[in-house]
Amino acid sequence: MKIPVALLIIGLLCFDAMAASYQLAADELHVRRLTVRDGLPSAYINKVLQRQDGFIWLGSKGGLSRFDGANFSNFQISTDSGMISNDVISLLEDQQQRLWVGTARGLFLFNDDTKQFRHIPLSERPPTILSLFQDPLQQLWVGTDQGAFKLSADGQDIVQYAPELEVKVMFGHQGHLWLGSKQGLFKVDETAAAVSEMSLRGNPEIDIRDQRIFDAIVIENKFYLATDRDGLLLFDPDTRQVVRQWLQADQLSSNSLWSLVKQADQLWLGYFYDGISSLSLEDGKIAHYRYHPQIQYSLPHDNISQLYVDQQQQLWIATTNGLAVTNLADQAIRHLGEYQQITNKHIWSLALDEDQLWFGSEDGLNRYDLQQHQLTVYPSGDATGQLPRTVIWGMQPLADELLLATNLGLLAFAPTTGKVRSWPVPPWQQPGRVTEVYSLRLHQQLLLLGYYRGHFAVYDVVGEQYISHTQITAAGYITDMLPQPQGYLLATDNGLFQLIDQQLTPLAELIPALATQTLHITSLLQVGKQVWASTQDHGLLILELQQGQWQLNRQLRQEDGLAENQLRALALASDGQVWLTGMKTLSQINPATLTVRRLSRYLHWLDMEFHANASLRQAGSIQAFGGNQGLVFFKDDALPEHTDFPALHLTEVQLMTEQVNVNKARLTVPPDASYYAFQFAALDYFSPERIKYQYQLQPILNNWQPMLNNQLSLSGLPYGDYQLKVRSSNAEGMWNEQSTDITLLLTAPWYLSTTAKWLYAFGSLLLLLLVLAWLLARFSNLKKVANHDALTGLPNRRYFKHELQQRLQQCRNGQQQLALLFFDLNHFKQLNDNCGHEAGDQLLIQVAARLTQAIRNTDFAARLAGDEFVVILSHIQHQQELENTVQRISSSLCQQYQLGQLTDLSLSCSIGITVFNSQNQVNADLLLQQADQAMYRSKQQQLAWCYHQA
């Protein structure tokens, strides 16, 4: 890099650095501003109230608002009374958790379920409601421009007191109600329905002229009164004397106060036009805080309308141009930025020399006296007496000088004389060129120097000479250095290197896990025997030299608890804890457990991007870090750990396009609602963007599922009962084990209800039974058709053969007899030919009927074909029983028949008989053949029946 000759003169000449000093306040207040751009209906805020559920409610000239930390819900007053004003001046939540709203045109009661306002008439002319108070008897007191009104607990009885007063504040003390008004201080006598004035008098040094009281607070049985033009008064109600008065002469910003509130041992004062102050109740010290147009964490305006401390002891500041909230613990962090007159808001290097905090920027040098709170700046420039224009990348106190690593090489600055000199030129520096110095450390009497283009040098400050030099050609610049028992550990923008006896070794060759990562090391820190290395994109490396070999003990990433993987700087505290900055985060790590505390919530008020290696490293009890918004510093123990969790609430439910209320954590979803959305709020009023949400939907999702934000949309769920569980983290990333649970009842339509399902089941069962009955009947019918003769209804040949085989097997098993009769009607063909087939069919039907009537129940009759019939006679005990049966059957068949016009038709038949017994063990076919042969012999011999003869 070519350097103009004029700049090379600094190597030959010394010059004085021009300086300017500024006295800064000892304390800072860091607020979160909220304006109409954030959702406020009006920037003019009158009243702040936190209700029991934790939500913040606001009264403004634009109406009533609820704030959950991320979103405002605004409500406009609209009633049928005609007396409408959205200038909300006062708010009160009573013991029944009802919200009373006082406006410029009357009193209203807000319904949390319907979000509607009900007007409460107090007098014929609607008064302006200035204050609200509920006494121990649950009576509501309303302070107005027409005096005070007392409402009974049921709101039916109204009594007016002192209509000539404008009552700005009401408070109770020792069983009495006190009124602070523009006309003075008054005590209420409820029995006489009257008030008595308290004359504000004191010793001769107390000068009270107007007695216009705008706010009051009771502390240790004494009244602190905020007045217009009379300052702050301390009134003793026992002696009825003003025992103390604070005015501008006593360091108040103004004699006109609007609001008072107590937080811990501080009394906070809000002025008409001059911001706020804190008054220590212990030592009487007063600190002032005002609006600054360029400092975003300052007050939004100096016109204060109310101060309020919530349940978490957070201070809310209502102004006529916006709202602000501050965590007073944030006061432990100090910030020095461009609007505190530092040389440049980009801070790249820091050093601590006793009580002097030095920090370098892109445009000069800065010094802050930690005891005197005095800032001294040494801006760079071209004029005589100014520091040269260059970025100060690093600094190191050395004796009575401050060494500065810059783009113009190494400079030495003498704070006592303000003189700057150039450090001896390194031997490798080419003529006409300057070797830029990026990092430096002092180890005993050796000065370690890291340069651009990978140069590393060691300078002996006692011998005043360079004793070694190495260049890492693979590196763009040396970011940091640490001495080791043997040699040095060098951090670069391209990895870590070990240097021993001028032998350079990349750690990636010694530790395989590092070889797969492209590492830009931003900072090194010696933590006991370990070396911690922060990287630009790969988290934190924890290394240790064991028996001469480097080991990677652990690599911490975001999944291991780090706030982010883009790390910038490390510092070691006096208690052994390690402080760590990421690109936009601040954390603390316990080296013993590697537990990470995320502390970025303390910097919610500052949009800071931290710079690499911009820390005090081993500074002791003070930690300081630089970035693109200046410098922040604090004591080690000033940031307590927050393990509490913000209250989680369901704030909104939408079924399709309709907003609905959820009562007792149960939501019944009608059948026609196929889409349902939920909005939740974890009440964090400083860092809501850091809050994360998860949900379960039991029984179908039993593991925690991530939510993209605080909203959850569900659709298309099967009808049934579900348990929706939602939990949130705190701003430090810790998850709350407790969840907010909502029972979802997805109601099915009537035709899918449980009753309907039972009816469907019963109907289905009945239908099934009917179908089964039909199928059985159908099967029976088909079986009958398959096994019976279609004309006579008797079993057919197929059925007969099956039955004969079954009965023969039973006879074999039981050693029984069976007779088979084979029938043939005589002259049936002539009848059929002469009288027609219809007559023949009628005859066959009558024959089948008679045959069925003539046989026993245990017998079996069938039609084989044409005029052929068979009968199986089971259980034949003896021959005479067979003879009687055959005779009965023959006689029945041979009786006269009636066939249409043919009457008294006589019929005969031929019967063949065969018997199955122990002497005739034949099969079914042979037995049928025997009966058939016997039938033919009967026909031939013209006998009524004939037995088979073997």
Side-chain angles (χ1 to χ4, degrees):
M1 183 175 100
K2 295 291 184 180
I3 302 297
V5 176
L7 293 180
L8 294 178
I9 298 177
I10 65 171
L12 305 174
L13 301 177
C14 296
F15 56 86
D16 295 333
M18 299 176 63
S21 295
Y22 305 93
Q23 185 63 47
L24 303 183
D27 299 298
E28 285 180 352
L29 198 64
H30 310 127
V31 309
R32 178 191 178 192
R33 289 182 182 178
L34 297 161
T35 67
V36 292
R37 291 189 299 272
D38 302 298
L40 279 171
S42 170
Y44 199 119
I45 311 299
N46 293 311
K47 192 71 175 178
V48 181
L49 171 71
Q50 186 175 38
R51 299 184 67 179
Q52 294 183 32
D53 58 12
F55 285 96
I56 293 294
W57 289 76
L58 307 171
S60 71
K61 286 190 176 294
L64 180 67
S65 301
R66 186 190 70 184
F67 184 48
D68 60 24
N71 300 294
F72 288 94
S73 299
N74 301 316
F75 309 98
Q76 298 290 307
I77 297 176
S78 176
T79 70
D80 54 7
S81 66
M83 294 173 289
I84 299 174
S85 172
N86 280 299
D87 186 2
V88 177
I89 299 174
S90 54
L91 298 171
L92 172 73
E93 183 181 32
D94 64 18
Q95 297 179 33
Q96 291 77 39
Q97 299 183 26
R98 297 177 299 178
L99 182 62
W100 295 86
V101 181
T103 75
R105 289 185 61 82
L107 179 66
F108 295 85
L109 185 60
F110 181 72
N111 188 308
D112 287 302
D113 293 329
T114 65
K115 306 298 186 290
Q116 299 296 315
F117 296 83
R118 179 166 65 90
H119 180 241
I120 308 297
L122 298 176
S123 60
E124 183 177 352
R125 180 175 64 86
T128 297
I129 310 301
L130 302 174
S131 56
L132 294 167
F133 177 77
Q134 188 176 34
D135 64 20
L137 299 178
Q138 299 188 18
Q139 299 176 124
L140 181 69
W141 291 83
V142 184
T144 75
D145 60 348
Q146 300 176 24
F149 292 84
K150 181 180 71 173
L151 280 68
S152 59
D154 57 9
Q156 299 299 318
D157 298 327
I158 300 176
V159 179
Q160 185 178 14
Y161 293 78
E164 71 280 1
L165 300 182
E166 291 186 48
V167 181
K168 297 289 291 184
V169 60
M170 298 178 290
F171 56 95
H173 179 64
Q174 295 181 350
H176 295 282
L177 180 69
W178 295 75
L179 309 179
S181 72
K182 289 185 178 182
Q183 292 76 26
L185 180 65
F186 295 82
K187 183 178 179 181
V188 176
D189 184 348
E190 289 190 60
T191 304
V195 299
S196 56
E197 183 177 3
M198 299 289 107
S199 178
L200 299 179
R201 295 174 299 178
N203 60 50
E205 296 180 357
I206 295 177
D207 182 16
I208 301 174
R209 302 179 182 182
D210 297 301
Q211 301 192 35
R212 291 164 54 87
I213 299 173
F214 281 78
D215 202 1
I217 188 171
V218 180
I219 301 176
E220 296 180 352
N221 293 321
K222 291 183 173 58
F223 303 167
Y224 286 82
L225 307 176
T227 73
D228 179 18
R229 297 191 290 270
D230 288 326
L232 176 66
L233 305 179
L234 180 60
F235 178 77
D236 187 339
D238 296 330
T239 63
R240 299 191 178 186
Q241 294 287 315
V242 175
V243 296
R244 178 72 189 272
Q245 181 181 27
W246 288 267
L247 298 167
Q248 280 184 286
D250 304 293
Q251 298 185 2
L252 291 189
S253 295
S254 168
N255 291 336
S256 295
L257 287 79
W258 192 276
S259 182
L260 299 174
V261 71
K262 181 179 180 293
Q263 196 275 341
D265 62 347
Q266 300 287 320
L267 181 63
W268 290 86
L269 319 175
Y271 301 100
F272 281 14
Y273 308 108
D274 297 282
I276 65 176
S277 297
S278 64
L279 170 63
S280 173
L281 298 176
E282 292 185 353
D283 57 21
K285 292 183 178 179
I286 299 178
H288 305 289
Y289 310 94
R290 302 195 62 166
Y291 162 73
H292 191 289
Q294 280 80 38
I295 299 178
Q296 293 302 308
Y297 56 79
S298 69
L299 301 184
H301 203 270
D302 283 335
N303 290 15
I304 308 301
S305 49
Q306 187 202 4
L307 299 177
Y308 181 82
V309 173
D310 65 15
Q311 300 162 6
Q312 289 73 38
Q313 297 301 297
Q314 297 161 161
L315 178 64
W316 294 80
I317 306 161
T319 79
T320 59
N321 192 33
L323 178 69
V325 58
T326 180
N327 181 358
L328 296 175
D330 294 343
Q331 287 183 285
I333 299 179
R334 289 299 310 272
H335 172 242
L336 298 176
E338 62 179 324
Y339 299 112
Q340 283 85 6
Q341 309 302 321
I342 65 174
T343 55
N344 184 283
K345 67 178 182 179
H346 288 274
I347 303 302
W348 293 98
S349 55
L350 299 94
L352 185 66
D353 188 7
E354 296 182 349
D355 291 332
Q356 306 300 307
L357 178 60
W358 293 88
F359 50 103
S361 74
E362 296 181 358
D363 290 310
L365 186 62
N366 309 268
R367 182 183 66 186
Y368 182 75
D369 189 314
L370 296 172
Q371 297 297 325
Q372 303 300 320
H373 310 294
Q374 187 176 57
L375 174 67
T376 303
V377 297
Y378 305 87
S380 62
D382 299 326
T384 303
Q386 286 187 294
L387 285 169
R389 292 187 182 276
T390 182
V391 179
I392 301 176
W393 297 113
M395 58 178 61
Q396 174 66 54
L398 179 63
D400 57 351
E401 291 184 311
L402 185 66
L403 302 186
L404 308 178
T406 76
N407 288 340
L408 299 178
L410 186 62
L411 304 179
F413 173 73
T416 55
T417 64
K419 293 185 179 297
V420 180
R421 66 182 179 89
S422 178
W423 198 255
V425 176
W428 71 87
Q429 180 172 310
Q430 299 177 9
R433 296 178 61 91
V434 171
T435 303
E436 305 97 322
V437 184
Y438 181 80
S439 54
L440 73 164
R441 279 183 186 260
L442 183 65
H443 175 57
Q444 297 176 355
Q445 68 182 43
L446 301 180
L447 183 64
L448 312 182
L449 299 169
Y451 297 83
Y452 278 87
R453 291 180 289 279
H455 292 283
F456 168 71
V458 179
Y459 184 88
D460 188 334
V461 297
V462 176
E464 297 185 353
Q465 61 178 340
Y466 290 93
I467 61 174
S468 67
H469 164 250
T470 301
Q471 184 177 14
I472 305 175
T473 56
Y477 59 100
I478 308 295
T479 59
D480 207 351
M481 307 139 297
L482 272 181
Q484 295 300 304
Q486 291 184 346
Y488 303 96
L489 186 64
L490 307 182
T492 77
D493 61 341
N494 193 25
L496 288 163
F497 294 83
Q498 175 182 261
L499 179 63
I500 300 178
D501 297 331
Q502 297 301 109
Q503 181 67 35
L504 193 66
T505 306
L507 255 63
E509 295 180 2
L510 305 176
I511 304 176
L514 301 183
T516 59
Q517 307 177 64
T518 302
L519 297 174
H520 181 147
I521 309 300
T522 56
S523 182
L524 294 177
L525 185 67
Q526 190 76 44
V527 183
K529 295 182 179 181
Q530 297 176 337
V531 173
W532 289 30
S534 60
T535 72
Q536 185 156 287
D537 297 295
H538 294 82
L540 178 67
L541 307 177
I542 301 179
L543 307 164
E544 187 171 353
L545 191 62
Q546 299 178 0
Q547 298 179 351
Q549 296 294 324
W550 283 102
Q551 303 290 332
L552 178 62
N553 287 353
R554 187 75 183 272
Q555 183 170 2
L556 297 182
R557 298 182 177 88
Q558 202 165 358
E559 56 266 29
D560 302 306
L562 291 184
E564 57 179 316
N565 290 329
Q566 302 181 57
L567 307 183
R568 293 295 182 262
L570 296 167
L572 186 65
S574 57
D575 60 1
Q577 302 292 306
V578 175
W579 290 86
L580 170 68
T581 58
M583 185 174 70
K584 302 195 73 170
T585 57
L586 174 67
S587 304
Q588 187 187 62
I589 304 179
N590 185 330
T593 63
L594 297 184
T595 304
V596 181
R597 286 181 56 206
R598 300 181 182 183
L599 300 170
S600 302
R601 69 184 307 272
Y602 284 105
L603 294 172
H604 66 87
W605 44 272
L606 186 64
D607 187 19
M608 170 81 92
E609 288 188 14
F610 293 100
H611 286 160
N613 222 359
S615 69
L616 291 177
R617 296 171 181 164
Q618 293 172 285
S621 61
I622 295 293
Q623 298 300 326
F625 300 95
N628 68 343
Q629 296 296 327
L631 171 76
V632 293
F633 59 95
F634 49 88
K635 292 183 178 180
D636 278 343
D637 57 355
L639 306 183
E641 183 175 4
H642 286 270
T643 57
D644 55 335
F645 296 91
L648 180 63
H649 291 275
L650 174 65
T651 58
E652 187 176 295
V653 177
Q654 181 177 332
L655 298 182
M656 303 298 282
T657 58
E658 180 184 0
Q659 303 290 333
V660 299
N661 293 320
V662 176
N663 294 319
K664 297 181 179 179
R666 291 173 63 89
L667 175 63
T668 301
V669 180
D672 57 345
S674 60
Y675 169 82
Y676 9 96
F678 306 86
Q679 180 171 292
F680 295 87
L683 303 183
D684 188 303
Y685 294 108
F686 296 101
S687 304
E689 73 284 352
R690 297 182 183 273
I691 303 297
K692 300 185 183 304
Y693 298 84
Q694 292 179 335
Y695 78 98
Q696 291 181 2
L697 187 62
Q698 299 176 354
I700 60 176
L701 291 174
N702 295 317
N703 295 323
W704 290 109
Q705 308 294 317
M707 295 168 56
L708 293 178
N709 47 39
N710 64 331
Q711 296 180 341
L712 175 65
S713 298
L714 301 172
S715 63
L717 291 176
Y719 300 112
D721 297 351
Y722 299 89
Q723 190 76 7
L724 176 62
K725 293 177 171 288
V726 177
R727 69 174 183 175
S728 65
S729 70
N730 60 15
E732 295 179 3
M734 300 171 59
W735 287 103
N736 193 347
E737 294 301 323
Q738 296 182 347
S739 62
T740 295
D741 300 344
I742 302 166
T743 300
L744 301 182
L745 308 176
L746 272 63
T747 307
W750 65 269
Y751 52 84
L752 293 178
S753 64
T754 302
T755 303
K757 289 180 180 179
W758 279 106
L759 291 176
Y760 295 152
F762 177 76
S764 299
L765 180 61
L766 181 60
L767 179 61
L768 179 61
L769 292 175
L770 292 175
V771 170
L772 288 175
W774 179 83
L775 289 175
L776 289 174
R778 180 67 173 166
F779 176 75
S780 177
N781 185 53
L782 291 175
K783 183 177 180 182
K784 185 175 182 181
V785 170
N787 294 316
H788 289 76
D789 177 54
L791 177 64
T792 63
L794 290 176
N796 58 16
R797 178 183 290 272
R798 177 176 177 273
Y799 192 181
F800 161 73
K801 284 188 174 183
H802 179 268
E803 185 67 21
L804 179 60
Q805 290 175 350
Q806 294 291 325
R807 295 199 180 203
L808 288 177
Q809 185 61 43
Q810 292 174 4
C811 290
R812 293 188 188 97
N813 296 337
Q815 297 182 353
Q816 299 174 356
Q817 295 187 95
L818 177 149
L820 178 62
L821 282 61
F822 197 116
F823 294 82
D824 183 84
L825 301 182
N826 296 327
H827 311 295
F828 178 73
K829 185 177 183 302
Q830 292 86 343
L831 175 66
N832 224 15
D833 294 340
N834 296 332
C835 300
H837 290 287
E838 184 175 352
D841 290 345
Q842 289 293 324
L843 177 63
L844 293 175
I845 292 172
Q846 293 186 30
V847 168
R850 291 184 183 186
L851 185 60
T852 301
Q853 293 174 357
I855 63 176
R856 300 169 301 178
N857 291 335
T858 57
D859 300 334
F860 182 85
R863 181 190 176 201
L864 297 183
D867 59 345
E868 295 178 349
F869 295 86
V870 290
V871 172
I872 302 173
L873 301 179
S874 300
H875 308 295
I876 300 299
Q877 301 296 329
H878 45 77
Q879 183 64 28
Q880 186 58 47
E881 181 182 3
L882 175 60
E883 290 286 339
N884 293 338
T885 303
V886 173
Q887 178 64 45
R888 185 174 66 251
I889 294 173
S890 179
S891 299
S892 175
L893 294 179
C894 292
Q895 293 180 9
Q896 294 181 338
Y897 292 86
Q898 291 185 348
L899 302 177
Q901 297 178 354
L902 297 176
T903 59
D904 301 329
L905 175 65
S906 297
L907 180 69
S908 64
C909 64
S910 298
I911 305 174
I913 305 171
T914 184
V915 177
F916 177 87
N917 52 27
S918 59
Q919 289 80 28
N920 188 29
Q921 294 280 343
V922 297
N923 60 27
D925 291 338
L926 185 56
L927 191 67
L928 180 61
Q929 185 178 355
Q930 291 176 356
D932 186 24
Q933 291 174 355
M935 184 271 296
Y936 274 104
R937 192 167 60 251
S938 171
K939 187 181 287 290
Q940 290 173 355
Q941 297 176 7
Q942 296 183 352
L943 298 175
W945 61 83
C946 184
Y947 285 94
H948 169 69
Q949 296 179 354

